[in-house]
Amino acid sequence: MPEGRRTPFAHAVASFEPTATSVLLWTRLDDGSTEAEWEVFDGPDLHEVVASGTASTSAERDSTVVVDVDGLQPATSYWYRFRAGGVESPVGRTRTLPDAMAPRFDLAMVCCARFSVAPLGVYRAVAEREVDLVVHLGDYIYEDDGEKGPRRHDPPRTASSLEDYRRRIAQVRADPDAQALHLRHPMVTIWDDHDLADNAWSTGAKAHDDEEHGPWADRAAAAAQARSEWLPARLLDPDDVLTTWRAVEVGDLADLILLDTRLRGRDRQAGDDESPDRDDPARSLLGPDQRMWLRDRLTGNDKPWALLASGVVVNEIQLDWPRPFRWIDYFLPNGYAVLDGEVIHDDQWDGYPAERDRLAGWLRERGREGGRSVILSGDVHSSWAFEGPKAGDEAAAVEMTTPAVSSDAMARARVPMLWRFLDRQANKLAHVPFAEVTERGYTTLSLTPDAATATWWHIHPWAQDPTESAEVAAAFRTHHADWPPRFEPVPLSSPALGADGPVRPGLPQPLPARPDDLRRLRRRRAVRLTLELAVPAALGAAVLAVAVFAVRRRPPGG
């Protein structure tokens, strides 16, 4: 390449939305080129070409290239690359879905990657684990200016325009940890609020200001357009980028149902002005079109499993908080507040109980007909296993909630040391076999016709090799034969937790090196942790000193 010329592939390559016979291949031509050749191979040696062609792009698509490669074999790994301006891209690996009753299917779930706060080492750990598909449950980006973290966001302002959202996603995709994940695995995605704006709903967001950010409809359309360019999906209507719910068929084993719990059909959070009361039966999270589509998808399907991907937690997480502190919202975890005398997160399904009751009824109907359902969720920056939601007095599904990739953990975003109390309260909930509120990581789901095994992996994002830092926090299994569904603990030494997983060829080249700023981020973290420990200690010492001084000054007989 001539000196001074930009590489066409600064954002590497990625693959999305596989089916049994096809997959979407992605790259971006960062040097201004408008045409790229692509090739798909049957092995990492790149000898046998199984598909090839040429694709074009333009500035109207932010120079992104998306190729829908068809005619592939089911449940098969492929390797691919692009070529533009005489330069070859990195080689990526992807995989098609099964077309029949697969003996086993493995998913990894991730969410909440706040680039400004911590390295994306969790992505690298997922890249090193052998799975068939990665499901991103929302907050692929954060729309804020990044002032609360050691990294600044690009652009260094709140994202509100098409250019802003494009640059924000591009910043994540330039990160070598994110590139490692996309190089190794295909992905499907749903969105959540920070992909648009914090605490968004159908007609606005809590921090949205028309005068500062422009009309809400324009902002939402801009976020959706950028997302369709950088995170392509097989939408129900390719011309409607705002309607994002859809389903992915995992052969005859499962339906992966991808919901929009953020924009279309969502009423404003309860307790806000002009919002329906929390218990109003007409209160909506899904909207009528998605609601009817979901009902038909759940109750009209005879596959053994339905995997329901929700950007926000479905089950109840109502915390028992000490009454003297109920009025002090600052001490509550992020997103929690006192509403109608209860400590809840009203942005979750907890804020839309009538919608949840409808869903639970359909899940129970499906269950009584022999189908089983597992809910996949994120958003709350913590790890949870739930038995529910309930329809009447019985659980209608189980739910697994994955922790954050890099956002502050649920119990560490407020007052230091408060996590101990919150962790105890979370694990007191009767329908919660497991909760952990302090760590980052990801979750895997190993699915067979007879059982679904969920495993929570906690990762140290600052480690030089995040994979070596991986610890199994918990594992639970639900059996297809069980009704009502329940989770049973799996011994952490069980081979079902990954040791007996498939062994497949990797990439022909090493994964990208860790980020250049990793050492600086470690130093900043060390300073912060020192202060978090030193300040409470200093306050305690000061209180003790005052008490000793008071005792010594007390007059005799006082």
mmCIF file with all atom_site columns, all heavy atoms in Angstrom, residues 10-32:
data_model
loop_
_atom_site.group_PDB
_atom_site.id
_atom_site.type_symbol
_atom_site.label_atom_id
_atom_site.label_alt_id
_atom_site.label_comp_id
_atom_site.label_asym_id
_atom_site.label_entity_id
_atom_site.label_seq_id
_atom_site.pdbx_PDB_ins_code
_atom_site.Cartn_x
_atom_site.Cartn_y
_atom_site.Cartn_z
_atom_site.occupancy
_atom_site.B_iso_or_equiv
_atom_site.pdbx_formal_charge
_atom_site.auth_seq_id
_atom_site.auth_comp_id
_atom_site.auth_asym_id
_atom_site.auth_atom_id
_atom_site.pdbx_PDB_model_num
ATOM 1   N N   . ALA A 1 10 ? -9.864  -0.819  8.257  1.00 0.00 ? 10 ALA A N   1
ATOM 2   C CA  . ALA A 1 10 ? -9.557  -0.439  9.638  1.00 0.00 ? 10 ALA A CA  1
ATOM 3   C C   . ALA A 1 10 ? -10.566 -1.007  10.625 1.00 0.00 ? 10 ALA A C   1
ATOM 4   O O   . ALA A 1 10 ? -10.265 -1.129  11.821 1.00 0.00 ? 10 ALA A O   1
ATOM 5   C CB  . ALA A 1 10 ? -9.514  1.088   9.756  1.00 0.00 ? 10 ALA A CB  1
ATOM 6   N N   . HIS A 1 11 ? -11.762 -1.338  10.164 1.00 0.00 ? 11 HIS A N   1
ATOM 7   C CA  . HIS A 1 11 ? -12.798 -1.896  11.043 1.00 0.00 ? 11 HIS A CA  1
ATOM 8   C C   . HIS A 1 11 ? -12.984 -3.391  10.836 1.00 0.00 ? 11 HIS A C   1
ATOM 9   O O   . HIS A 1 11 ? -13.984 -3.958  11.289 1.00 0.00 ? 11 HIS A O   1
ATOM 10  C CB  . HIS A 1 11 ? -14.116 -1.148  10.822 1.00 0.00 ? 11 HIS A CB  1
ATOM 11  C CG  . HIS A 1 11 ? -14.048 0.289   11.233 1.00 0.00 ? 11 HIS A CG  1
ATOM 12  N ND1 . HIS A 1 11 ? -13.727 1.303   10.356 1.00 0.00 ? 11 HIS A ND1 1
ATOM 13  C CD2 . HIS A 1 11 ? -14.212 0.875   12.435 1.00 0.00 ? 11 HIS A CD2 1
ATOM 14  C CE1 . HIS A 1 11 ? -13.715 2.462   10.997 1.00 0.00 ? 11 HIS A CE1 1
ATOM 15  N NE2 . HIS A 1 11 ? -14.003 2.229   12.255 1.00 0.00 ? 11 HIS A NE2 1
ATOM 16  N N   . ALA A 1 12 ? -12.003 -4.020  10.182 1.00 0.00 ? 12 ALA A N   1
ATOM 17  C CA  . ALA A 1 12 ? -11.951 -5.475  10.017 1.00 0.00 ? 12 ALA A CA  1
ATOM 18  C C   . ALA A 1 12 ? -13.206 -5.996  9.308  1.00 0.00 ? 12 ALA A C   1
ATOM 19  O O   . ALA A 1 12 ? -13.759 -5.320  8.428  1.00 0.00 ? 12 ALA A O   1
ATOM 20  C CB  . ALA A 1 12 ? -11.728 -6.168  11.358 1.00 0.00 ? 12 ALA A CB  1
ATOM 21  N N   . VAL A 1 13 ? -13.679 -7.188  9.694  1.00 0.00 ? 13 VAL A N   1
ATOM 22  C CA  . VAL A 1 13 ? -14.827 -7.822  9.051  1.00 0.00 ? 13 VAL A CA  1
ATOM 23  C C   . VAL A 1 13 ? -15.717 -8.407  10.138 1.00 0.00 ? 13 VAL A C   1
ATOM 24  O O   . VAL A 1 13 ? -15.321 -8.543  11.298 1.00 0.00 ? 13 VAL A O   1
ATOM 25  C CB  . VAL A 1 13 ? -14.384 -8.928  8.072  1.00 0.00 ? 13 VAL A CB  1
ATOM 26  C CG1 . VAL A 1 13 ? -13.527 -8.351  6.958  1.00 0.00 ? 13 VAL A CG1 1
ATOM 27  C CG2 . VAL A 1 13 ? -13.640 -10.050 8.810  1.00 0.00 ? 13 VAL A CG2 1
ATOM 28  N N   . ALA A 1 14 ? -16.937 -8.771  9.765  1.00 0.00 ? 14 ALA A N   1
ATOM 29  C CA  . ALA A 1 14 ? -17.889 -9.336  10.724 1.00 0.00 ? 14 ALA A CA  1
ATOM 30  C C   . ALA A 1 14 ? -18.949 -10.106 9.947  1.00 0.00 ? 14 ALA A C   1
ATOM 31  O O   . ALA A 1 14 ? -19.093 -9.947  8.722  1.00 0.00 ? 14 ALA A O   1
ATOM 32  C CB  . ALA A 1 14 ? -18.540 -8.240  11.569 1.00 0.00 ? 14 ALA A CB  1
ATOM 33  N N   . SER A 1 15 ? -19.719 -10.935 10.687 1.00 0.00 ? 15 SER A N   1
ATOM 34  C CA  . SER A 1 15 ? -20.831 -11.649 10.055 1.00 0.00 ? 15 SER A CA  1
ATOM 35  C C   . SER A 1 15 ? -22.037 -11.624 10.977 1.00 0.00 ? 15 SER A C   1
ATOM 36  O O   . SER A 1 15 ? -21.905 -11.599 12.206 1.00 0.00 ? 15 SER A O   1
ATOM 37  C CB  . SER A 1 15 ? -20.446 -13.093 9.718  1.00 0.00 ? 15 SER A CB  1
ATOM 38  O OG  . SER A 1 15 ? -20.160 -13.842 10.894 1.00 0.00 ? 15 SER A OG  1
ATOM 39  N N   . PHE A 1 16 ? -23.220 -11.619 10.376 1.00 0.00 ? 16 PHE A N   1
ATOM 40  C CA  . PHE A 1 16 ? -24.467 -11.427 11.106 1.00 0.00 ? 16 PHE A CA  1
ATOM 41  C C   . PHE A 1 16 ? -25.568 -12.313 10.532 1.00 0.00 ? 16 PHE A C   1
ATOM 42  O O   . PHE A 1 16 ? -25.527 -12.731 9.371  1.00 0.00 ? 16 PHE A O   1
ATOM 43  C CB  . PHE A 1 16 ? -24.924 -9.966  11.028 1.00 0.00 ? 16 PHE A CB  1
ATOM 44  C CG  . PHE A 1 16 ? -23.970 -8.990  11.656 1.00 0.00 ? 16 PHE A CG  1
ATOM 45  C CD1 . PHE A 1 16 ? -22.957 -8.403  10.912 1.00 0.00 ? 16 PHE A CD1 1
ATOM 46  C CD2 . PHE A 1 16 ? -24.080 -8.667  13.001 1.00 0.00 ? 16 PHE A CD2 1
ATOM 47  C CE1 . PHE A 1 16 ? -22.072 -7.505  11.493 1.00 0.00 ? 16 PHE A CE1 1
ATOM 48  C CE2 . PHE A 1 16 ? -23.209 -7.767  13.593 1.00 0.00 ? 16 PHE A CE2 1
ATOM 49  C CZ  . PHE A 1 16 ? -22.203 -7.180  12.838 1.00 0.00 ? 16 PHE A CZ  1
ATOM 50  N N   . GLU A 1 17 ? -26.582 -12.564 11.369 1.00 0.00 ? 17 GLU A N   1
ATOM 51  C CA  . GLU A 1 17 ? -27.858 -13.141 10.965 1.00 0.00 ? 17 GLU A CA  1
ATOM 52  C C   . GLU A 1 17 ? -27.725 -14.398 10.110 1.00 0.00 ? 17 GLU A C   1
ATOM 53  O O   . GLU A 1 17 ? -28.274 -14.491 9.006  1.00 0.00 ? 17 GLU A O   1
ATOM 54  C CB  . GLU A 1 17 ? -28.683 -12.092 10.201 1.00 0.00 ? 17 GLU A CB  1
ATOM 55  C CG  . GLU A 1 17 ? -28.993 -10.849 10.995 1.00 0.00 ? 17 GLU A CG  1
ATOM 56  C CD  . GLU A 1 17 ? -30.206 -10.980 11.907 1.00 0.00 ? 17 GLU A CD  1
ATOM 57  O OE1 . GLU A 1 17 ? -31.195 -11.606 11.521 1.00 0.00 ? 17 GLU A OE1 1
ATOM 58  O OE2 . GLU A 1 17 ? -30.131 -10.418 13.022 1.00 0.00 ? 17 GLU A OE2 1
ATOM 59  N N   . PRO A 1 18 ? -27.022 -15.415 10.593 1.00 0.00 ? 18 PRO A N   1
ATOM 60  C CA  . PRO A 1 18 ? -26.949 -16.642 9.799  1.00 0.00 ? 18 PRO A CA  1
ATOM 61  C C   . PRO A 1 18 ? -28.294 -17.351 9.741  1.00 0.00 ? 18 PRO A C   1
ATOM 62  O O   . PRO A 1 18 ? -29.133 -17.226 10.634 1.00 0.00 ? 18 PRO A O   1
ATOM 63  C CB  . PRO A 1 18 ? -25.918 -17.474 10.570 1.00 0.00 ? 18 PRO A CB  1
ATOM 64  C CG  . PRO A 1 18 ? -26.025 -16.994 11.989 1.00 0.00 ? 18 PRO A CG  1
ATOM 65  C CD  . PRO A 1 18 ? -26.316 -15.516 11.878 1.00 0.00 ? 18 PRO A CD  1
ATOM 66  N N   . THR A 1 19 ? -28.495 -18.096 8.693  1.00 0.00 ? 19 THR A N   1
ATOM 67  C CA  . THR A 1 19 ? -29.595 -19.060 8.573  1.00 0.00 ? 19 THR A CA  1
ATOM 68  C C   . THR A 1 19 ? -28.949 -20.422 8.316  1.00 0.00 ? 19 THR A C   1
ATOM 69  O O   . THR A 1 19 ? -27.726 -20.564 8.392  1.00 0.00 ? 19 THR A O   1
ATOM 70  C CB  . THR A 1 19 ? -30.549 -18.700 7.432  1.00 0.00 ? 19 THR A CB  1
ATOM 71  O OG1 . THR A 1 19 ? -29.898 -18.942 6.180  1.00 0.00 ? 19 THR A OG1 1
ATOM 72  C CG2 . THR A 1 19 ? -30.973 -17.232 7.495  1.00 0.00 ? 19 THR A CG2 1
ATOM 73  N N   . ALA A 1 20 ? -29.745 -21.404 7.982  1.00 0.00 ? 20 ALA A N   1
ATOM 74  C CA  . ALA A 1 20 ? -29.178 -22.724 7.688  1.00 0.00 ? 20 ALA A CA  1
ATOM 75  C C   . ALA A 1 20 ? -28.376 -22.728 6.391  1.00 0.00 ? 20 ALA A C   1
ATOM 76  O O   . ALA A 1 20 ? -27.491 -23.587 6.220  1.00 0.00 ? 20 ALA A O   1
ATOM 77  C CB  . ALA A 1 20 ? -30.287 -23.760 7.619  1.00 0.00 ? 20 ALA A CB  1
ATOM 78  N N   . THR A 1 21 ? -28.644 -21.767 5.493  1.00 0.00 ? 21 THR A N   1
ATOM 79  C CA  . THR A 1 21 ? -27.970 -21.786 4.191  1.00 0.00 ? 21 THR A CA  1
ATOM 80  C C   . THR A 1 21 ? -27.341 -20.455 3.808  1.00 0.00 ? 21 THR A C   1
ATOM 81  O O   . THR A 1 21 ? -26.826 -20.328 2.702  1.00 0.00 ? 21 THR A O   1
ATOM 82  C CB  . THR A 1 21 ? -28.969 -22.175 3.080  1.00 0.00 ? 21 THR A CB  1
ATOM 83  O OG1 . THR A 1 21 ? -30.048 -21.225 3.058  1.00 0.00 ? 21 THR A OG1 1
ATOM 84  C CG2 . THR A 1 21 ? -29.518 -23.573 3.320  1.00 0.00 ? 21 THR A CG2 1
ATOM 85  N N   . SER A 1 22 ? -27.378 -19.455 4.702  1.00 0.00 ? 22 SER A N   1
ATOM 86  C CA  . SER A 1 22 ? -26.874 -18.141 4.313  1.00 0.00 ? 22 SER A CA  1
ATOM 87  C C   . SER A 1 22 ? -26.350 -17.384 5.522  1.00 0.00 ? 22 SER A C   1
ATOM 88  O O   . SER A 1 22 ? -26.586 -17.752 6.672  1.00 0.00 ? 22 SER A O   1
ATOM 89  C CB  . SER A 1 22 ? -27.980 -17.325 3.626  1.00 0.00 ? 22 SER A CB  1
ATOM 90  O OG  . SER A 1 22 ? -29.027 -17.051 4.531  1.00 0.00 ? 22 SER A OG  1
ATOM 91  N N   . VAL A 1 23 ? -25.640 -16.281 5.235  1.00 0.00 ? 23 VAL A N   1
ATOM 92  C CA  . VAL A 1 23 ? -25.119 -15.418 6.290  1.00 0.00 ? 23 VAL A CA  1
ATOM 93  C C   . VAL A 1 23 ? -24.828 -14.047 5.673  1.00 0.00 ? 23 VAL A C   1
ATOM 94  O O   . VAL A 1 23 ? -24.546 -13.938 4.472  1.00 0.00 ? 23 VAL A O   1
ATOM 95  C CB  . VAL A 1 23 ? -23.843 -16.019 6.917  1.00 0.00 ? 23 VAL A CB  1
ATOM 96  C CG1 . VAL A 1 23 ? -22.686 -16.033 5.920  1.00 0.00 ? 23 VAL A CG1 1
ATOM 97  C CG2 . VAL A 1 23 ? -23.439 -15.280 8.186  1.00 0.00 ? 23 VAL A CG2 1
ATOM 98  N N   . LEU A 1 24 ? -24.935 -13.005 6.491  1.00 0.00 ? 24 LEU A N   1
ATOM 99  C CA  . LEU A 1 24 ? -24.592 -11.660 6.052  1.00 0.00 ? 24 LEU A CA  1
ATOM 100 C C   . LEU A 1 24 ? -23.136 -11.372 6.413  1.00 0.00 ? 24 LEU A C   1
ATOM 101 O O   . LEU A 1 24 ? -22.764 -11.401 7.591  1.00 0.00 ? 24 LEU A O   1
ATOM 102 C CB  . LEU A 1 24 ? -25.494 -10.614 6.721  1.00 0.00 ? 24 LEU A CB  1
ATOM 103 C CG  . LEU A 1 24 ? -27.000 -10.759 6.516  1.00 0.00 ? 24 LEU A CG  1
ATOM 104 C CD1 . LEU A 1 24 ? -27.739 -9.628  7.236  1.00 0.00 ? 24 LEU A CD1 1
ATOM 105 C CD2 . LEU A 1 24 ? -27.360 -10.776 5.043  1.00 0.00 ? 24 LEU A CD2 1
ATOM 106 N N   . LEU A 1 25 ? -22.303 -11.104 5.403  1.00 0.00 ? 25 LEU A N   1
ATOM 107 C CA  . LEU A 1 25 ? -20.912 -10.729 5.619  1.00 0.00 ? 25 LEU A CA  1
ATOM 108 C C   . LEU A 1 25 ? -20.785 -9.215  5.558  1.00 0.00 ? 25 LEU A C   1
ATOM 109 O O   . LEU A 1 25 ? -21.428 -8.565  4.725  1.00 0.00 ? 25 LEU A O   1
ATOM 110 C CB  . LEU A 1 25 ? -20.001 -11.368 4.577  1.00 0.00 ? 25 LEU A CB  1
ATOM 111 C CG  . LEU A 1 25 ? -20.048 -12.891 4.470  1.00 0.00 ? 25 LEU A CG  1
ATOM 112 C CD1 . LEU A 1 25 ? -19.040 -13.371 3.444  1.00 0.00 ? 25 LEU A CD1 1
ATOM 113 C CD2 . LEU A 1 25 ? -19.810 -13.549 5.825  1.00 0.00 ? 25 LEU A CD2 1
ATOM 114 N N   . TRP A 1 26 ? -19.922 -8.649  6.428  1.00 0.00 ? 26 TRP A N   1
ATOM 115 C CA  . TRP A 1 26 ? -19.841 -7.191  6.574  1.00 0.00 ? 26 TRP A CA  1
ATOM 116 C C   . TRP A 1 26 ? -18.388 -6.729  6.569  1.00 0.00 ? 26 TRP A C   1
ATOM 117 O O   . TRP A 1 26 ? -17.504 -7.399  7.115  1.00 0.00 ? 26 TRP A O   1
ATOM 118 C CB  . TRP A 1 26 ? -20.473 -6.771  7.894  1.00 0.00 ? 26 TRP A CB  1
ATOM 119 C CG  . TRP A 1 26 ? -20.412 -5.292  8.190  1.00 0.00 ? 26 TRP A CG  1
ATOM 120 C CD1 . TRP A 1 26 ? -21.397 -4.371  7.943  1.00 0.00 ? 26 TRP A CD1 1
ATOM 121 C CD2 . TRP A 1 26 ? -19.311 -4.567  8.759  1.00 0.00 ? 26 TRP A CD2 1
ATOM 122 N NE1 . TRP A 1 26 ? -20.974 -3.122  8.336  1.00 0.00 ? 26 TRP A NE1 1
ATOM 123 C CE2 . TRP A 1 26 ? -19.692 -3.217  8.843  1.00 0.00 ? 26 TRP A CE2 1
ATOM 124 C CE3 . TRP A 1 26 ? -18.052 -4.927  9.202  1.00 0.00 ? 26 TRP A CE3 1
ATOM 125 C CZ2 . TRP A 1 26 ? -18.846 -2.226  9.351  1.00 0.00 ? 26 TRP A CZ2 1
ATOM 126 C CZ3 . TRP A 1 26 ? -17.193 -3.945  9.714  1.00 0.00 ? 26 TRP A CZ3 1
ATOM 127 C CH2 . TRP A 1 26 ? -17.606 -2.613  9.779  1.00 0.00 ? 26 TRP A CH2 1
ATOM 128 N N   . THR A 1 27 ? -18.175 -5.566  5.974  1.00 0.00 ? 27 THR A N   1
ATOM 129 C CA  . THR A 1 27 ? -16.934 -4.815  6.160  1.00 0.00 ? 27 THR A CA  1
ATOM 130 C C   . THR A 1 27 ? -17.215 -3.353  5.859  1.00 0.00 ? 27 THR A C   1
ATOM 131 O O   . THR A 1 27 ? -18.337 -2.972  5.477  1.00 0.00 ? 27 THR A O   1
ATOM 132 C CB  . THR A 1 27 ? -15.786 -5.347  5.287  1.00 0.00 ? 27 THR A CB  1
ATOM 133 O OG1 . THR A 1 27 ? -14.547 -4.784  5.735  1.00 0.00 ? 27 THR A OG1 1
ATOM 134 C CG2 . THR A 1 27 ? -15.992 -4.978  3.805  1.00 0.00 ? 27 THR A CG2 1
ATOM 135 N N   . ARG A 1 28 ? -16.208 -2.520  6.056  1.00 0.00 ? 28 ARG A N   1
ATOM 136 C CA  . ARG A 1 28 ? -16.310 -1.096  5.708  1.00 0.00 ? 28 ARG A CA  1
ATOM 137 C C   . ARG A 1 28 ? -15.054 -0.707  4.944  1.00 0.00 ? 28 ARG A C   1
ATOM 138 O O   . ARG A 1 28 ? -13.937 -1.056  5.344  1.00 0.00 ? 28 ARG A O   1
ATOM 139 C CB  . ARG A 1 28 ? -16.453 -0.219  6.944  1.00 0.00 ? 28 ARG A CB  1
ATOM 140 C CG  . ARG A 1 28 ? -16.659 1.264   6.628  1.00 0.00 ? 28 ARG A CG  1
ATOM 141 C CD  . ARG A 1 28 ? -16.926 2.055   7.905  1.00 0.00 ? 28 ARG A CD  1
ATOM 142 N NE  . ARG A 1 28 ? -17.355 3.416   7.634  1.00 0.00 ? 28 ARG A NE  1
ATOM 143 C CZ  . ARG A 1 28 ? -16.547 4.482   7.650  1.00 0.00 ? 28 ARG A CZ  1
ATOM 144 N NH1 . ARG A 1 28 ? -15.248 4.332   7.913  1.00 0.00 ? 28 ARG A NH1 1
ATOM 145 N NH2 . ARG A 1 28 ? -17.028 5.692   7.390  1.00 0.00 ? 28 ARG A NH2 1
ATOM 146 N N   . LEU A 1 29 ? -15.235 0.050   3.870  1.00 0.00 ? 29 LEU A N   1
ATOM 147 C CA  . LEU A 1 29 ? -14.106 0.499   3.053  1.00 0.00 ? 29 LEU A CA  1
ATOM 148 C C   . LEU A 1 29 ? -13.686 1.872   3.546  1.00 0.00 ? 29 LEU A C   1
ATOM 149 O O   . LEU A 1 29 ? -14.243 2.908   3.146  1.00 0.00 ? 29 LEU A O   1
ATOM 150 C CB  . LEU A 1 29 ? -14.493 0.511   1.578  1.00 0.00 ? 29 LEU A CB  1
ATOM 151 C CG  . LEU A 1 29 ? -14.999 -0.836  1.042  1.00 0.00 ? 29 LEU A CG  1
ATOM 152 C CD1 . LEU A 1 29 ? -15.307 -0.740  -0.448 1.00 0.00 ? 29 LEU A CD1 1
ATOM 153 C CD2 . LEU A 1 29 ? -13.978 -1.936  1.318  1.00 0.00 ? 29 LEU A CD2 1
ATOM 154 N N   . ASP A 1 30 ? -12.684 1.885   4.414  1.00 0.00 ? 30 ASP A N   1
ATOM 155 C CA  . ASP A 1 30 ? -12.306 3.111   5.111  1.00 0.00 ? 30 ASP A CA  1
ATOM 156 C C   . ASP A 1 30 ? -11.396 4.017   4.294  1.00 0.00 ? 30 ASP A C   1
ATOM 157 O O   . ASP A 1 30 ? -11.036 5.107   4.763  1.00 0.00 ? 30 ASP A O   1
ATOM 158 C CB  . ASP A 1 30 ? -11.602 2.751   6.431  1.00 0.00 ? 30 ASP A CB  1
ATOM 159 C CG  . ASP A 1 30 ? -12.516 2.000   7.381  1.00 0.00 ? 30 ASP A CG  1
ATOM 160 O OD1 . ASP A 1 30 ? -13.363 2.648   8.010  1.00 0.00 ? 30 ASP A OD1 1
ATOM 161 O OD2 . ASP A 1 30 ? -12.393 0.770   7.478  1.00 0.00 ? 30 ASP A OD2 1
ATOM 162 N N   . ASP A 1 31 ? -10.991 3.595   3.125  1.00 0.00 ? 31 ASP A N   1
ATOM 163 C CA  . ASP A 1 31 ? -10.081 4.407   2.308  1.00 0.00 ? 31 ASP A CA  1
ATOM 164 C C   . ASP A 1 31 ? -10.796 5.162   1.206  1.00 0.00 ? 31 ASP A C   1
ATOM 165 O O   . ASP A 1 31 ? -10.152 5.773   0.351  1.00 0.00 ? 31 ASP A O   1
ATOM 166 C CB  . ASP A 1 31 ? -8.994  3.523   1.702  1.00 0.00 ? 31 ASP A CB  1
ATOM 167 C CG  . ASP A 1 31 ? -9.560  2.523   0.691  1.00 0.00 ? 31 ASP A CG  1
ATOM 168 O OD1 . ASP A 1 31 ? -10.789 2.290   0.714  1.00 0.00 ? 31 ASP A OD1 1
ATOM 169 O OD2 . ASP A 1 31 ? -8.779  1.978   -0.108 1.00 0.00 ? 31 ASP A OD2 1
ATOM 170 N N   . GLY A 1 32 ? -12.128 5.116   1.190  1.00 0.00 ? 32 GLY A N   1
ATOM 171 C CA  . GLY A 1 32 ? -12.873 5.809   0.141  1.00 0.00 ? 32 GLY A CA  1
ATOM 172 C C   . GLY A 1 32 ? -13.210 4.947   -1.048 1.00 0.00 ? 32 GLY A C   1
ATOM 173 O O   . GLY A 1 32 ? -13.867 5.414   -1.991 1.00 0.00 ? 32 GLY A O   1
#
